[in-house]
């Protein structure tokens, strides 16, 4: 069931990878009043500014896609920034949403909230059942705090806040910075640079053995809009439990090794050199496949094959050069 005609929706982080995809998906229907603010217009880490914005605009629906994100290197280099900025951003938005009576809220987290050695595939109930992956623990703890805040507000005040945990996201508007970007866009950049420079080989971190799952940002956006517009009964069932957090995984249900991913990206880019693995560098979590059976039971499945998504994303990257 679609959201009400004329629904006033605030997309926090509308210029980011995920937020921009969600904004495009909502705008395509041409039936909602979409609210956005850039960083220069609204500092989300400032509580008073966020509260004033919500009091003035009074959105009925909120999607929190704003976050400080990055890959292994960025998380290892700026651990304090990752936990502090994310705690401030999400807490300010969630609190202001509650104080101004927002009807429904989607809080986007990450699959890194699950334990490092989590059973596979990772189910929603595996949250807080084991130690986290050390390389991105500050970010994960911040996201877990957001889940707990949404759950607490739902139980204590009857709010309707749902937390969605996407797998690794890639797509239009991705971050191709080699120091702060995630693995897939970083691979696109590395292989493209090697292709244009004629480099005989490309050295990548780790062993290539970890498994990862990837979802195109446009597919993720479609899933988010689907969940935000669920009928009252299934939505209430997701958020009203006293025993289970209001949490749902969003993924494709398929995984690939980093080595196979690198080979696929190099093929799409057209790089013919050798791939060298630096095993002195960290691999991160061995495996991160989400169980998406709950999402499937609500009538949604990802549509884009990984190769097709990489070809599309590489095309978008070429447009930025």
């Amino acid at each position: 069931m679609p959201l009400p005609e004329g629904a006033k929706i605030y997309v926090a982080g509308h210029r980011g990878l995920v937020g921009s995809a969600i904004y495009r998906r909502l705008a395509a229907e041409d039936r909602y009043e979409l609210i956005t603010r850039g960083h220069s217009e609204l500092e989300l880490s400032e509580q008073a500014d966020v509260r004033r914005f919500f009091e003035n605009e009074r959105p009925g629906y909120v999607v929190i896609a704003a976050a400080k994100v990055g890959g292994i290197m960025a998380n290892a280099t700026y651990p304090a920034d990752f936990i502090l900025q994310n705690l401030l951003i999400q807490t300010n938005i969630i609190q202001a949403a509650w104080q101004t009576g927002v009807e429904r809220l989607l809080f986007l987290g990450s699959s890194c909230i699950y334990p490092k050695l989590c059973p596979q595939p990772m189910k929603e109930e595996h949250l807080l059942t084991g130690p986290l992956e050390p390389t991105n623990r500050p970010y994960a703890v911040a996201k877990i705090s957001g889940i707990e805040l949404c759950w607490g507000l739902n139980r204590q005040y009857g709010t309707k806040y749902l937390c969605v945990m996407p797998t690794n996201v890639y797509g239009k508007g991705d971050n191709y910075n080699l120091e702060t970007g995630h693995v897939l866009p970083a691979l696109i950049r590395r292989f493209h640079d090697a292709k244009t420079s004629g480099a005989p080989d490309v050295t990548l971190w780790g062993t290539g053995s970890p498994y990862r799952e990837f979802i195109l940002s446009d597919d993720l956006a479609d899933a988010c809009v689907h969940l935000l517009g669920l009928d009252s009964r299934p939505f209430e069932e997701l958020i009203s439990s006293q025993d289970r957090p209001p949490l749902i995984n969003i993924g494709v249900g398929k995984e690939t090794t980093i080595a196979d991913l690198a080979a696929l990206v190099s093929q799409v880019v057209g790089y013919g050199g050798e791939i060298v693995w630096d095993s002195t560098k960290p691999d991160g979590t061995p495996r991160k496949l989400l169980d998406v059976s709950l999402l499937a039971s609500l009538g949604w499945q990802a549509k884009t094959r990984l190769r097709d998504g990489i070809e599309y994303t590489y095309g978008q990257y070429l447009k930025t050069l």
Side-chain angles (χ1 to χ4, degrees):
M1 180 178 180
L3 294 165
E5 182 82 29
K8 199 170 186 179
I9 308 170
Y10 170 49
V11 181
H14 74 289
R15 291 176 178 166
L17 171 64
V18 175
S20 62
I22 293 173
Y23 180 87
R24 290 194 303 271
R25 173 64 179 76
L26 290 167
E29 296 192 29
D30 195 27
R31 60 195 303 273
Y32 309 122
E33 182 181 350
L34 301 181
I35 308 169
T36 61
R37 291 292 187 277
H39 182 73
S40 62
E41 301 170 290
L42 176 62
E43 178 49 69
L44 294 173
S45 63
E46 293 293 333
Q47 183 182 49
D49 293 351
V50 175
R51 176 64 185 273
R52 189 178 306 111
F53 164 73
F54 270 80
E55 288 177 340
N56 290 337
E57 294 294 338
R58 298 282 171 171
Y61 298 82
V62 171
V63 179
I64 305 179
K68 180 176 179 61
V69 298
I72 290 179
M73 183 182 295
N75 276 269
T77 307
Y78 309 107
D81 291 351
F82 271 86
I83 189 168
L84 180 60
Q85 290 300 311
N86 283 297
L87 282 173
L88 287 171
I89 290 168
Q90 67 199 33
T91 302
N92 289 342
I93 296 174
I94 294 169
Q95 182 182 32
W98 162 57
Q99 291 171 331
T100 57
V102 164
E103 176 66 21
R104 287 186 181 183
L105 177 146
L106 281 190
F107 169 62
L108 278 88
S110 165
S111 60
C112 71
I113 64 165
Y114 294 113
K116 176 178 181 177
L117 301 178
C118 191
Q120 301 292 315
M122 300 183 291
K123 299 177 181 293
E124 288 85 356
E125 56 262 34
H126 289 149
L127 179 66
L128 295 177
T129 57
L132 299 166
E133 161 60 41
T135 55
N136 56 19
R137 185 169 59 191
Y139 178 76
V141 168
K143 290 300 180 179
I144 292 170
S145 297
I147 295 168
E148 289 293 327
L149 178 55
C150 288
W151 192 20
L153 287 167
N154 287 351
R155 286 179 292 168
Q156 187 172 345
Y157 295 105
T159 53
K160 298 178 180 180
Y161 299 167
L162 177 61
C163 305
V164 297
M165 298 300 117
T167 190
N168 298 283
V169 187
Y170 69 101
K172 181 178 181 179
D174 218 329
N175 174 17
Y176 299 94
N177 185 291
L178 296 179
E179 293 187 1
T180 60
H182 286 100
V183 59
L184 203 156
L187 287 174
I188 288 176
R189 168 76 181 276
R190 291 292 301 278
F191 286 123
H192 177 80
D193 288 353
K195 174 187 174 181
T196 55
S197 68
D201 57 65
V202 171
T203 300
L204 302 176
W205 277 29
T207 64
S209 63
Y211 285 81
R212 290 293 183 270
E213 176 187 15
F214 299 90
I215 188 169
L216 186 68
S217 59
D218 291 318
D219 278 358
L220 172 58
D222 189 64
C224 287
V225 174
H226 178 82
L227 291 169
L228 195 61
L230 281 176
D231 286 342
S232 295
R233 183 173 179 179
F235 194 87
E236 290 286 347
E237 289 176 352
L238 286 174
I239 66 167
S240 61
S241 174
Q242 295 292 312
D243 305 315
R244 188 183 71 85
L247 179 63
I248 186 167
N249 293 333
I250 300 181
V252 301
K254 298 178 182 179
E255 59 187 344
T256 184
T257 66
I258 296 299
D260 286 343
L261 175 70
L264 180 56
V265 173
S266 69
Q267 291 171 13
V268 170
V269 171
Y271 174 70
E274 182 183 0
I275 299 174
V276 179
W277 295 95
D278 182 357
S279 60
T280 66
K281 296 295 192 295
D283 269 331
T285 304
R287 198 176 174 202
K288 290 175 64 177
L289 176 65
L290 290 178
D291 185 308
V292 293
S293 56
L294 178 57
L295 180 61
S297 73
L298 295 168
W300 190 90
Q301 289 183 321
K303 302 175 180 65
T304 308
R305 294 190 314 149
L306 182 59
R307 186 184 186 97
D308 293 339
I310 293 173
E311 290 176 349
Y312 166 77
T313 303
Y314 182 50
Q316 294 298 315
Y317 172 66
L318 292 177
K319 293 178 181 179
T320 69
L321 301 179

